[in-house]
Amino acid sequence: MKEELNILIQAQYPLIYLVTSEEERAEQSISTIAQLLKPQRRVFVWTVTHGIVEYGQPRNVTQHNTVSPEAAIEWIIRQREPGIFILKDLHPFIDAPATTRSLRDAIASFKGMQKNIILMSPVQQVPIELEKEVVVLDFTLPDMAELNKVLTHHLEQNRGRRLTTEAREKLLRAALGLTKDESEKVYRKAQVTTGRLTEDEVDIVLSEKKQLIRRNGILEYIEEDETIDAVGGLEELKKWLKQRSNAFTERAREYGLPQPKGMLILGVPGCGKSLIAKTTSRLWGLPILRLDMGRVYDGSMVGRSEANLRNALKTAESISPTILFIDELDKSFAGSAGSGDSDGGTSSRIFGSFLTWMQEKKSPVFVMATANRVERLPGEFLRKGRFDEIFFVDLPTPEERQDIFNIHLTKRREDIARFDLEQLAKMSDGFSGAEIEQAIVAAMYEAFAQDREFTQLDIIAALKATLPLSRTMQEQVTALRDWARQRARPAASSVAEYQRMEF
Ligand SMILES: Nc1ncnc2c1ncn2[C@@H]1O[C@H](COP(=O)(O)OP(=O)(O)OP(=O)(O)O)[C@@H](O)[C@H]1O
Ligand SMILES: [Mg+2]
């Protein structure tokens, strides 16, 4: 990122938009770049409170009469020497005709001069008039090397405690995804100060990080206790996932394997899509972050939704390797499929930025998306190459249902020999995994109310009392199946698939 900024500055890009909430760190990077340039450049910073002040100078050494955005830009145009001009938080003013115009004047006047304007702001807002002239750059969150500086500084201030390389790496990794200020705070809070490193300290750093990530409200750290063995059936899908459990290691890169990009799991409601996505985290030993698309949308300010999405993706990248879980993708991007101009095009813009990100991402963020209404998904998602694989999760076959009964009964009772799983599987034709679980729970309630242990018959009664979704929504399920048979890979084992055709 710093490299990219450096190139843009040297290539005399007149207008660069740096999206960040870390002003201090970004200014430092720019000043470092400026010092290394030949000839060195002076850096000036504009704020609406102080006008233009040279970087590193006290705030009162301000250039006369440069508080208003237009006056500041006028001043910048008048400068004869090379320089980098940072305008902080110009976004509330940028739509004003005079501001937009003076920025365009500035760009025109920079031709052949070593001058750049950098707009620095936590939200991206570019008026149409400037869209062609501006390059938008995301200021990435600190990497391991930068966090190492924070940690070293913190330790030096606290009686110079030494850490083993391993302990240090654990602490650094735990703070990935935080800003510089946040990581400082977290190290302070975890009292990474005296004695030997304890697991507790790493845990505190991690749990603080989870809270900070939760606070932004769009990403959520998921903790799942279940392992992939809690999922019945879906053998093909499980095999695919197991094969890739070391896909993000150095060894896989050396072997010449590409990094998996992501997968889409389509399927009938209640058949374990979300469950399998969540358990992949433990299978792969990677953290999983849920991206709540509903919260990305924010109509309070133009550009706000885009900024939200950017920030979330940036956080996910900085924690990588990681799994980014988008549950119910069809609901998230529903608006962008067809008509949807009701929100001024926000959802299609969001959709566009998400696709671009997926296309271009180099960082090991594995996107795991689930959906059950294919017709609502924009076609671009389903195009080959977007995801590594699209799996279709159908209603469970008799074998799979046995497996699911087994799992859910074993979860609740130690000895399940009294249950005839084969019969239960037979009686639950058309039931989803979730409905099977519900039937067991209903049977238990029934027996519990009568103060006795639940039996095979209770479960059968519960099954009989339920009308499964596959029957109430038969048309939808059939349509989905027909669609998926041709375009997606079945998640059940091929044997199970074969048996299904016989039924
Ligand atoms: N194949 C399965 N094996 C074991 N349990 C299952 C299976 N499928 C569903 N379940 C049970 O049903 C619950 C709900 O399933 P899950 O949320 O994963 O369904 P889903 O496919 O994501 O449905 P939806 O499309 O409605 O989001 C699970 O938490 C689990 O307890
Ligand atoms: Mg689900």
Side-chain angles (χ1 to χ4, degrees), residues 273-275 327-328 370 372:
K273 297 184 296 295
S274 304
L275 182 63
D327 210 8
E328 313 193 331
T370 75
N372 49 36

Side-chain angles (χ1 to χ4, degrees), residues 198-444:
T198 61
E199 282 296 321
D200 283 356
E201 290 170 37
V202 179
D203 282 348
I204 294 174
V205 175
L206 270 177
S207 74
E208 283 292 308
K209 173 162 85 174
K210 283 173 195 169
Q211 276 185 27
L212 283 167
I213 286 177
R214 207 165 289 146
R215 202 173 305 155
N216 86 8
I218 293 159
L219 285 177
E220 183 196 355
Y221 237 100
I222 304 186
E223 270 146 308
E224 176 62 51
D225 299 326
E226 303 284 9
T227 67
I228 198 154
D229 296 326
V231 186
L234 312 183
E235 292 305 327
E236 277 298 305
L237 176 51
K238 284 189 204 160
K239 195 170 110 196
W240 194 93
L241 290 171
K242 281 178 187 162
Q243 267 183 353
R244 280 160 187 75
S245 47
N246 290 318
F248 289 105
T249 57
E250 208 43 52
R251 209 160 53 83
R253 291 298 81 67
E254 280 163 18
Y255 195 84
L257 284 169
Q259 268 168 9
K261 283 181 288 198
M263 74 188 311
L264 174 60
I265 311 179
L266 292 173
V268 182
C271 289
K273 297 184 296 295
S274 304
L275 182 63
I276 205 153
K278 285 187 274 179
T279 55
T280 306
S281 160
R282 276 187 74 179
L283 182 69
W284 287 3
L286 298 181
I288 180 166
L289 295 167
R290 190 211 309 264
L291 174 62
D292 187 340
M293 285 305 292
R295 299 215 181 139
V296 165
Y297 294 101
D298 181 340
S300 66
M301 201 162 65
V302 181
R304 192 58 211 238
S305 310
E306 282 93 331
N308 284 344
L309 181 69
R310 254 165 201 283
N311 281 336
L313 296 176
K314 204 152 77 170
T315 307
E317 289 193 325
S318 58
I319 299 174
S320 67
T322 184
I323 302 171
L324 187 66
F325 175 38
I326 310 177
D327 210 8
E328 313 193 331
L329 187 71
D330 42 345
K331 296 200 182 110
S332 329
F333 291 113
S336 53
S339 54
D341 220 31
S342 53
D343 59 355
T346 305
S347 55
S348 48
R349 273 206 310 279
I350 291 280
F351 171 63
S353 357
F354 183 75
L355 278 185
T356 314
W357 174 79
M358 265 197 81
Q359 195 81 16
E360 291 172 359
K361 78 181 154 72
K362 302 233 164 41
S363 46
V365 177
F366 185 80
V367 178
M368 211 159 186
T370 75
N372 49 36
R373 299 283 296 270
V374 255
E375 76 279 6
R376 285 213 219 144
L377 277 180
E380 286 94 324
F381 267 124
L382 305 164
R383 209 183 296 143
K384 267 272 167 226
R386 194 74 70 188
F387 291 101
D388 296 311
E389 194 70 82
I390 300 178
F391 274 102
F392 174 58
V393 175
D394 206 339
L395 288 167
T397 61
E399 269 72 25
E400 290 183 314
R401 292 201 295 273
Q402 263 197 49
D403 208 10
I404 298 170
F405 271 111
N406 191 4
I407 287 167
H408 284 289
L409 287 171
T410 311
K411 227 186 248 177
R412 291 165 174 88
R413 287 294 180 269
E414 262 177 29
D415 183 20
I416 62 158
R418 64 195 151 103
F419 296 104
D420 178 354
L421 299 181
E422 211 179 313
Q423 188 190 25
L424 290 176
K426 217 176 262 166
M427 309 280 307
S428 54
D429 186 33
F431 278 65
S432 68
E435 287 162 341
I436 290 176
E437 185 179 13
Q438 280 316 306
I440 295 175
V441 173
M444 288 173 74

Side-chain angles (χ1 to χ4, degrees), residues 147-195:
L147 288 174
N148 194 18
K149 275 189 212 149
V150 176
L151 182 58
T152 307
H153 181 72
H154 171 83
L155 291 174
E156 272 163 7
Q157 286 191 324
N158 290 285
R159 286 168 275 154
R161 173 186 177 188
R162 292 253 176 99
L163 285 175
T164 61
T165 323
E166 211 192 359
R168 187 175 278 272
E169 194 181 323
K170 268 192 193 160
L171 282 170
L172 295 178
R173 202 165 281 287
L176 277 178
L178 299 179
T179 65
K180 188 170 167 239
D181 290 347
E182 286 169 342
S183 60
E184 268 163 18
K185 239 179 270 162
V186 163
Y187 287 139
R188 221 176 304 135
K189 174 126 190 215
Q191 298 187 324
V192 183
T193 44
T194 49

